[in-house]
């Protein structure tokens, strides 16, 4: 080979920019797919560094591999800038909350008192005049609203000690790695289209340069090296155009701003919708309160309120109960009633879901606050998906490009 002109047919040269464009498109598409897939490691895991997507021999999507790190970064932003759990819970009206829960609590208390009384003092309870039993029902009706109202007021003051929103959201993402993919894919949907399409255009431009170089110097190493550069540079440029410049810059009358950052309003709406539908909904929040790492604080507070509530309910039968079973046994019965209330409150909390969901307005809150973020902070929503392993993505594009360059060399020129 060596230096020379006209060694190959014209179509070989014409095809080069288009092949380079195809290489750019292919490497960007593959880089995106390998960012998100596979969810679990695929291949023979002979050797693998913990926390890295690659291994000998196989691959796991970058985001599924680093689900914990990426969710932590994203929800750090949310819990510090977008969502204050005390402020949000403060929107509940304790009286209205008690009204929503009242019917369920009355039915619950009726069955609990009957059950415990039959266990601790069946004889006296069965002989108890109906009007005394009715008085307990009346007292339950009278005191239940006060119990629930006081309980919610206390909870609003201490809700940060009862639910760790960051732990709840990060745990949900670790347990459901496809959900982490969904957050990034839907928030960055338009940017990912740009990455794929821009791969062709950037690749085509570099292919023109490659064609000129090959025309004058057709050494075999040119095509693999050019393929590597096309894959590397197209990935690099696509990522930079999406996130840079962070702040709008006017250059020669043209406003330059990162593509993702330009869509802050739309992305905020998408992010808020996914988070509040999939993770931060009322049912999940109550489940985190009941079973999360701070649940002991919640049940301690509930126990204190429930013991006072129980004392007021059974005051009418206290003389009879103490006479029939003794003071110690009466205290045990009171504790048993309180414990059953504590155990069964989670089973009726769903009666408050509709009111709570409407009142908290979490999606609107997150959307509005996210739309108001400075560009630098807003960038942290999607950029972590690439920033954690940006060099891996770029290098991956280069390697794939080099492989295509080798195939191109043997398919067309050797």
């Amino acid at each position: 080979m060596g230096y020379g002109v006209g060694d190959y047919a014209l179509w070989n040269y014409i095809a080069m920019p288009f092949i380079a464009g195809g290489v750019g498109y292919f490497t960007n598409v593959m880089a995106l797919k390998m960012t998100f897939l596979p969810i679990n490691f695929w291949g023979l895991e002979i050797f693998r560094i913990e926390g890295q997507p690659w291994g000998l021999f196989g691959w796991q999507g970058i985001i599924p591999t680093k689900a914990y790190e990426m969710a932590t970064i994203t929800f750090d932003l949310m819990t510090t800038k977008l969502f204050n759990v005390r402020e949000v819970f403060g929107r509940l009206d304790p009286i209205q909350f008690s009204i929503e829960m009242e019917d369920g609590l009355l039915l619950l208390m009726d069955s609990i008192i009957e059950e415990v009384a039959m266990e601790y003092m069946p004889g006296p309870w069965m002989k108890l005049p109906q009007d005394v039993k009715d008085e307990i029902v009346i007292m339950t009706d009278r005191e239940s609203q006060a119990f629930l109202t006081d309980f919610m007021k206390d909870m609003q003051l201490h809700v940060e000690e009862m639910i760790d929103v960051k732990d709840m959201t990060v745990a949900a993402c670790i347990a459901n790695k496809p959900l982490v993919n969904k957050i990034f894919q839907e928030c960055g949907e338009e940017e990912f289209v740009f990455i794929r399409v821009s791969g062709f255009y950037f690749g085509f431009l570099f292919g023109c340069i490659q064609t000129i170089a090959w025309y004058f110097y057709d050494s075999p190493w040119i095509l693999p090296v050019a393929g590597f550069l096309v894959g590397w540079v197209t990935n690099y440029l696509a990522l930079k155009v999406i996130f840079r410049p962070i702040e709008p810059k006017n250059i020669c009358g043209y406003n330059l701003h990162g593509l993702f950052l330009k869509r802050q309003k739309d992305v905020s709406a998408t992010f808020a919708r996914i988070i509040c539908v999939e993770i931060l909904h009322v049912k999940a929040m109550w489940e985190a309160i009941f079973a999360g790492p701070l649940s002991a604080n919640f049940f301690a507070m509930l126990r204190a309120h429930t013991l006072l509530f129980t004392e007021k309910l059974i005051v009418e039968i206290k003389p009879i109960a103490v006479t029939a079973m003794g003071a110690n046994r009466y205290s045990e019965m009171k504790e048993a009633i309180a414990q059953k209330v504590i155990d069964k409150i989670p089973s009726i909390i769903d009666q408050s879901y509709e009111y709570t969901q409407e009142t908290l307005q979490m999606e609107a809150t997150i959307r509005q606050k996210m739309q108001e973020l400075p560009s630098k902070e807003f960038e942290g929503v999607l950029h972590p998906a690439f920033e954690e392993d940006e060099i891996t993505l770029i290098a991956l594009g280069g390697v794939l490009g080099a492989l295509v360059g080798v195939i191109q060399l043997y398919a067309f020129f050797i």
Side-chain angles (χ1 to χ4, degrees), residues 225-300:
V225 170
F228 178 85
L229 291 175
V230 168
W232 182 288
V233 174
T234 54
N235 281 14
Y236 175 83
L237 288 177
L239 291 175
K240 291 304 176 186
V241 170
I242 287 173
F243 297 109
R244 297 291 184 272
I246 293 176
E247 300 296 339
K249 292 183 179 180
N250 191 288
I251 299 178
C252 300
Y254 185 77
N255 189 41
L256 293 178
H257 198 197
L259 297 177
F260 177 69
L261 306 175
K262 282 182 180 179
R263 293 199 312 114
Q264 183 166 348
K265 184 176 180 180
D266 293 337
V267 172
S268 299
T270 301
F271 180 83
R273 172 181 54 79
I274 296 173
I275 295 303
C276 291
V277 169
E278 302 284 354
I279 302 176
L280 203 60
H281 48 81
V282 169
K283 181 176 183 290
M285 291 183 73
W286 276 112
E287 287 174 350
I289 290 170
F290 294 144
L294 302 178
S295 61
N297 297 336
F298 168 79
F299 284 111

Side-chain angles (χ1 to χ4, degrees), residues 188-217:
E189 183 177 10
E190 292 191 20
E191 286 67 39
F192 296 140
V193 171
F194 170 80
I195 288 175
R196 289 191 289 268
V197 174
S198 69
F200 177 82
Y201 292 112
F202 288 142
F204 185 88
L205 291 175
F206 282 101
C208 293
I209 299 172
Q210 173 191 348
T211 302
I212 295 171
W214 181 260
Y215 185 80
F216 290 103
Y217 186 69

